[in-house]
Amino acid sequence: MKNEDLLHYVWQYQHFDATDLQTDEGRSLRVMKTGLLQTHAGPDFENARILLDGMAWAGKIEIHILASDWEKHGHHRDPAYDAVILHVVWKNDRPVYRHDGTPLPTLSLEGRIPSSLQEKYRDFQNSRKQIPCESLFSGASALSKVSMMEKALAHRLQKKAEEVLQMYASAQNDLEEVAYQLLLKNFGFHLNAEPFLRLARALPHKILARYRGNLSRIEALLFGVGGFLEEPEDEYAKALSSEYRFLCRKHTLSGNALRRADWRFLRTRPHNFPTVRIAQAAAVLNQNDRFFDVCIENQVKWEATVSAYWQKHYDFGRGGPKFKGPGKASLDNLRINTLAPLLSAYHQLTGDGRYFSRAVELLESIPPEDNYIIRLWNGLELKCRSALDSQGLIGQYHEFCTGKNCLKCPVGAELLRP
């Protein structure tokens, strides 16, 4: 036994032989309440209740592989651990004491944990499948599958909200800038997300907002700061370049400009070229005033038509298929990854639960995503009804399955049960 998390799981669900249970010191033991697993500093379980020789004790539980880990981790010098009422270990290799010098009752689980549980856990950890429990997944209950999706969705929304709040702090608590930065980042659609975010930070929204209604100036600023106008390819690019030089001097922008080499074009279809996406972002920004407000109210005018030039070009000087704006799948992606995180973050910022409810309602109104992760789950007969489900399953895959955090997954916890 080398995994402390597995011992946490065994204790939390009491998956061990409790026949004639007693501490290693020979005191009879009965577990009344396992306690609540903690993720912050301090003992592992709080608010536990046990009976030792018939006497009730309430306090905390600490879990280690070896009893000597108590001293190795410095708990014998920490008064916070004086409230520990039971030390649960795999193997008791030495007696240990609290900070106040009192001996710590210890329960050894070696020989009490079913071998089937340990073998199944090893199989999960050694699995080469993208979903470690794939071969057993069909045997999980419908309730545990629903719980898995709900937990993963909550975790994903929480993580995305935290990312937005970090942007909020970096943007000097300017919600307009945050909504704008998040939008531009998402117009990068993963491949160019990083340069799009750099572009948003180099070109503040408050400058672009001054030119709402003038699409050519918005394009000049975005393409100029993006580094696409250094060597104009045609007359349109030359006109934007001239406009940008004027605006650049006016707003002192040149210091943070990107270069064309910062953007990824290789192995990308024309409709995903960063030039096309910048033109589409310019059209959306041109159509929407008070951008944070329209995002929070789900009133963004997404289907904004790009300028005449970009309806017939996919790069400067390069004509191609007719473009008008992002396709439906792209628009759904933008709504999922821009509006839902903003609403979740605003819920945390204000404490108003209505915004989290709006995020959930928004995701429920959008069709499920279709990607290789969702197709993996579909192969296990787990179907998505909306983006609420697909976001949960994407989160489940990234946060639990790829890291093999089976013990923290409701399905994994159920399948490991002896």
Side-chain angles (χ1 to χ4, degrees):
M1 173 67 67
K2 296 181 180 180
N3 192 301
E4 203 168 279
D5 286 340
L6 182 56
L7 286 183
H8 288 162
Y9 166 81
V10 167
W11 174 259
Q12 184 175 8
Y13 295 99
Q14 296 289 281
H15 290 333
F16 58 87
D17 182 6
T19 305
D20 297 324
L21 196 62
Q22 58 181 241
T23 68
D24 293 356
E25 299 79 27
R27 302 170 70 181
S28 67
L29 171 64
R30 183 180 175 189
V31 181
M32 307 297 292
K33 186 179 178 182
T34 60
L36 300 174
L37 180 62
Q38 301 302 307
T39 56
H40 53 69
D44 296 316
F45 288 83
E46 293 185 347
N47 300 319
R49 291 183 63 226
I50 62 174
L51 293 180
L52 282 176
D53 287 337
M55 181 178 292
W57 290 76
K60 303 177 181 183
I61 307 292
E62 179 66 7
I63 293 179
H64 289 123
I65 300 299
L66 299 175
S68 58
D69 290 338
W70 176 269
E71 293 183 358
K72 183 179 178 181
H73 297 166
H75 300 332
H76 62 299
R77 296 190 297 269
D78 190 345
Y81 285 80
D82 283 348
V84 172
I85 56 175
L86 183 67
H87 194 200
V88 180
V89 301
W90 170 249
K91 188 172 184 176
N92 189 355
D93 58 341
R94 75 169 65 164
V96 296
Y97 302 86
R98 301 183 182 92
H99 172 260
D100 60 8
T102 56
L104 189 60
T106 302
L107 171 66
S108 300
L109 294 180
E110 185 177 19
R112 288 185 176 272
I113 301 175
S115 58
S116 61
L117 186 157
Q118 298 179 64
E119 290 167 4
K120 198 178 294 183
Y121 180 70
R122 278 196 296 269
D123 289 342
F124 285 173
Q125 293 303 295
N126 295 330
S127 174
R128 295 185 178 182
K129 301 287 187 180
Q130 291 175 294
I131 298 173
C133 66
E134 180 178 312
S135 61
L136 300 175
F137 189 81
S138 61
S141 67
L143 179 61
S144 69
K145 292 175 183 178
V146 170
S147 297
M148 176 194 80
M149 294 169 68
E150 289 179 346
K151 179 178 181 179
L153 175 68
H155 190 276
R156 186 167 177 81
L157 287 176
Q158 170 74 17
K159 185 176 180 180
K160 287 194 169 189
E162 288 172 357
E163 291 172 358
V164 172
L165 291 175
Q166 288 175 4
M167 295 172 68
Y168 176 68
S170 298
Q172 287 76 50
N173 301 348
D174 189 328
L175 290 168
E176 284 287 307
E177 289 296 330
V178 170
Y180 159 69
Q181 289 179 14
L182 190 60
L183 174 74
L184 253 62
K185 177 185 176 183
N186 290 325
F187 258 106
F189 293 92
H190 184 67
L191 187 67
N192 279 297
E194 189 270 337
F196 258 108
L197 182 57
R198 285 176 57 195
L199 171 58
R201 287 172 173 165
L203 177 60
H205 179 260
K206 61 185 178 183
I207 293 177
L208 280 180
R210 296 175 61 175
Y211 301 105
R212 182 175 174 271
N214 190 331
L215 183 54
S216 64
R217 285 200 161 184
I218 291 178
E219 282 190 4
L221 285 165
L222 288 169
F223 283 112
V225 176
F228 291 100
L229 302 178
E230 294 175 358
E231 298 179 2
E233 295 284 339
D234 57 16
E235 292 303 314
Y236 186 74
K238 290 178 182 177
L240 289 185
S241 179
S242 176
E243 188 76 68
Y244 171 64
R245 287 196 300 272
F246 166 73
L247 294 172
C248 184
R249 289 191 299 272
K250 181 177 179 180
H251 299 291
T252 319
L253 293 171
S254 59
N256 297 318
L258 284 77
R259 300 170 302 159
R260 184 182 174 93
D262 293 324
W263 303 85
R264 295 181 64 179
F265 284 83
L266 291 178
R267 293 183 292 278
T268 306
R269 295 178 180 177
H271 66 268
N272 278 327
F273 272 18
T275 43
V276 172
R277 294 306 190 189
I278 289 174
Q280 293 170 347
V284 170
L285 292 167
N286 186 52
Q287 290 277 8
N288 291 278
D289 191 18
R290 297 180 301 107
F291 194 65
F292 173 77
D293 291 340
V294 295
C295 284
I296 290 297
E297 299 298 329
N298 192 19
Q299 295 178 351
V300 180
K301 298 173 184 176
W302 293 108
E303 298 178 354
T305 303
V306 298
S307 63
Y309 180 86
W310 291 108
Q311 291 181 36
K312 299 177 181 179
H313 292 79
Y314 59 87
D315 198 355
F316 287 106
R318 295 175 174 84
K322 190 172 184 180
F323 299 99
K324 287 188 177 180
K328 186 180 184 305
S330 294
L331 287 175
D332 286 341
N333 185 289
L334 287 167
R335 293 168 65 204
I336 290 169
N337 292 297
T338 304
L339 304 188
L342 274 176
L343 286 163
S344 298
Y346 201 52
H347 157 240
Q348 291 196 25
L349 203 58
T350 63
D352 191 335
R354 291 177 299 172
Y355 295 107
F356 185 80
S357 297
R358 286 187 194 177
V360 171
E361 291 168 3
L362 170 74
L363 292 174
E364 284 181 324
S365 72
I366 300 174
E369 295 139 288
D370 180 20
N371 53 44
Y372 81 97
I373 295 175
I374 300 305
R375 290 191 286 273
L376 275 176
W377 291 111
N378 288 344
L380 297 180
E381 298 185 358
L382 199 58
K383 305 299 181 183
C384 296
R385 298 162 298 175
S386 68
L388 191 72
D389 293 337
S390 60
Q391 280 288 290
L393 290 178
I394 291 170
Q396 171 68 26
Y397 177 80
H398 285 303
E399 299 299 327
F400 296 93
C401 295
T402 58
K404 297 183 179 178
N405 292 320
C406 307
L407 299 171
K408 298 178 182 178
C409 166
V411 167
E414 180 183 78
L415 293 176
L416 284 169
R417 186 173 59 203

PDB file of all heavy atoms in Angstrom, residues 12 71 106 149 156 192 194 311 319 366 368:
ATOM      1  N   GLN A  12     -13.306   6.746   4.373  1.00  0.00           N
ATOM      2  CA  GLN A  12     -14.528   7.516   4.117  1.00  0.00           C
ATOM      3  C   GLN A  12     -15.728   6.605   3.914  1.00  0.00           C
ATOM      4  O   GLN A  12     -16.819   6.876   4.416  1.00  0.00           O
ATOM      5  CB  GLN A  12     -14.323   8.409   2.889  1.00  0.00           C
ATOM      6  CG  GLN A  12     -15.509   9.328   2.597  1.00  0.00           C
ATOM      7  CD  GLN A  12     -15.202  10.279   1.447  1.00  0.00           C
ATOM      8  OE1 GLN A  12     -14.181  10.171   0.776  1.00  0.00           O
ATOM      9  NE2 GLN A  12     -16.096  11.217   1.202  1.00  0.00           N
ATOM     10  N   GLU A  71       5.363  11.921  12.606  1.00  0.00           N
ATOM     11  CA  GLU A  71       6.511  12.743  12.979  1.00  0.00           C
ATOM     12  C   GLU A  71       7.250  13.265  11.750  1.00  0.00           C
ATOM     13  O   GLU A  71       7.755  14.390  11.753  1.00  0.00           O
ATOM     14  CB  GLU A  71       7.460  11.932  13.862  1.00  0.00           C
ATOM     15  CG  GLU A  71       6.861  11.585  15.217  1.00  0.00           C
ATOM     16  CD  GLU A  71       7.837  10.850  16.106  1.00  0.00           C
ATOM     17  OE1 GLU A  71       8.970  10.586  15.655  1.00  0.00           O
ATOM     18  OE2 GLU A  71       7.464  10.538  17.261  1.00  0.00           O
ATOM     19  N   THR A 106      -4.123   4.345  17.573  1.00  0.00           N
ATOM     20  CA  THR A 106      -3.821   4.046  16.178  1.00  0.00           C
ATOM     21  C   THR A 106      -4.581   2.802  15.718  1.00  0.00           C
ATOM     22  O   THR A 106      -4.642   1.804  16.441  1.00  0.00           O
ATOM     23  CB  THR A 106      -2.307   3.820  15.996  1.00  0.00           C
ATOM     24  OG1 THR A 106      -1.611   4.990  16.423  1.00  0.00           O
ATOM     25  CG2 THR A 106      -1.973   3.539  14.532  1.00  0.00           C
ATOM     26  N   MET A 149     -21.399  13.356 -13.602  1.00  0.00           N
ATOM     27  CA  MET A 149     -21.528  14.473 -14.533  1.00  0.00           C
ATOM     28  C   MET A 149     -21.768  15.782 -13.794  1.00  0.00           C
ATOM     29  O   MET A 149     -21.206  16.820 -14.145  1.00  0.00           O
ATOM     30  CB  MET A 149     -22.658  14.186 -15.528  1.00  0.00           C
ATOM     31  CG  MET A 149     -22.352  13.015 -16.456  1.00  0.00           C
ATOM     32  SD  MET A 149     -23.792  12.465 -17.423  1.00  0.00           S
ATOM     33  CE  MET A 149     -24.040  13.864 -18.512  1.00  0.00           C
ATOM     34  N   ARG A 156     -15.799  22.073 -13.303  1.00  0.00           N
ATOM     35  CA  ARG A 156     -15.376  22.790 -14.512  1.00  0.00           C
ATOM     36  C   ARG A 156     -15.797  24.253 -14.459  1.00  0.00           C
ATOM     37  O   ARG A 156     -15.016  25.155 -14.786  1.00  0.00           O
ATOM     38  CB  ARG A 156     -15.953  22.111 -15.749  1.00  0.00           C
ATOM     39  CG  ARG A 156     -15.461  22.702 -17.076  1.00  0.00           C
ATOM     40  CD  ARG A 156     -15.827  21.784 -18.226  1.00  0.00           C
ATOM     41  NE  ARG A 156     -15.459  22.318 -19.526  1.00  0.00           N
ATOM     42  CZ  ARG A 156     -14.238  22.261 -20.045  1.00  0.00           C
ATOM     43  NH1 ARG A 156     -13.263  21.694 -19.353  1.00  0.00           N
ATOM     44  NH2 ARG A 156     -13.991  22.755 -21.244  1.00  0.00           N
ATOM     45  N   ASN A 192      -5.306  29.409 -31.520  1.00  0.00           N
ATOM     46  CA  ASN A 192      -4.751  30.759 -31.442  1.00  0.00           C
ATOM     47  C   ASN A 192      -5.268  31.529 -30.221  1.00  0.00           C
ATOM     48  O   ASN A 192      -5.269  32.762 -30.222  1.00  0.00           O
ATOM     49  CB  ASN A 192      -5.075  31.536 -32.722  1.00  0.00           C
ATOM     50  CG  ASN A 192      -4.125  31.188 -33.856  1.00  0.00           C
ATOM     51  OD1 ASN A 192      -2.925  31.428 -33.773  1.00  0.00           O
ATOM     52  ND2 ASN A 192      -4.664  30.587 -34.913  1.00  0.00           N
ATOM     53  N   GLU A 194      -3.917  31.903 -27.267  1.00  0.00           N
ATOM     54  CA  GLU A 194      -2.877  32.680 -26.581  1.00  0.00           C
ATOM     55  C   GLU A 194      -2.581  34.003 -27.294  1.00  0.00           C
ATOM     56  O   GLU A 194      -2.584  35.069 -26.654  1.00  0.00           O
ATOM     57  CB  GLU A 194      -1.614  31.822 -26.444  1.00  0.00           C
ATOM     58  CG  GLU A 194      -0.533  32.437 -25.564  1.00  0.00           C
ATOM     59  CD  GLU A 194       0.441  33.310 -26.343  1.00  0.00           C
ATOM     60  OE1 GLU A 194       0.554  33.095 -27.574  1.00  0.00           O
ATOM     61  OE2 GLU A 194       1.058  34.205 -25.749  1.00  0.00           O
ATOM     62  N   GLN A 311     -15.649  39.153 -46.551  1.00  0.00           N
ATOM     63  CA  GLN A 311     -16.621  38.209 -47.090  1.00  0.00           C
ATOM     64  C   GLN A 311     -16.039  37.444 -48.284  1.00  0.00           C
ATOM     65  O   GLN A 311     -16.549  36.395 -48.664  1.00  0.00           O
ATOM     66  CB  GLN A 311     -17.897  38.927 -47.504  1.00  0.00           C
ATOM     67  CG  GLN A 311     -18.693  39.480 -46.327  1.00  0.00           C
ATOM     68  CD  GLN A 311     -19.961  40.175 -46.769  1.00  0.00           C
ATOM     69  OE1 GLN A 311     -20.615  39.751 -47.731  1.00  0.00           O
ATOM     70  NE2 GLN A 311     -20.339  41.237 -46.065  1.00  0.00           N
ATOM     71  N   GLY A 319      -8.005  35.647 -51.867  1.00  0.00           N
ATOM     72  CA  GLY A 319      -9.439  35.444 -51.960  1.00  0.00           C
ATOM     73  C   GLY A 319      -9.805  33.990 -51.750  1.00  0.00           C
ATOM     74  O   GLY A 319      -8.973  33.093 -51.816  1.00  0.00           O
ATOM     75  N   ILE A 366     -28.172  25.112 -25.227  1.00  0.00           N
ATOM     76  CA  ILE A 366     -27.239  24.944 -26.347  1.00  0.00           C
ATOM     77  C   ILE A 366     -27.069  23.455 -26.641  1.00  0.00           C
ATOM     78  O   ILE A 366     -26.928  22.656 -25.712  1.00  0.00           O
ATOM     79  CB  ILE A 366     -25.877  25.581 -26.010  1.00  0.00           C
ATOM     80  CG1 ILE A 366     -26.056  27.087 -25.737  1.00  0.00           C
ATOM     81  CG2 ILE A 366     -24.876  25.375 -27.149  1.00  0.00           C
ATOM     82  CD1 ILE A 366     -24.793  27.773 -25.243  1.00  0.00           C
ATOM     83  N   PRO A 368     -25.396  19.849 -27.477  1.00  0.00           N
ATOM     84  CA  PRO A 368     -24.124  19.309 -26.964  1.00  0.00           C
ATOM     85  C   PRO A 368     -23.004  19.458 -27.979  1.00  0.00           C
ATOM     86  O   PRO A 368     -23.231  19.446 -29.191  1.00  0.00           O
ATOM     87  CB  PRO A 368     -24.443  17.836 -26.701  1.00  0.00           C
ATOM     88  CG  PRO A 368     -25.593  17.529 -27.592  1.00  0.00           C
ATOM     89  CD  PRO A 368     -26.401  18.793 -27.660  1.00  0.00           C
TER      90      PRO A 368
END
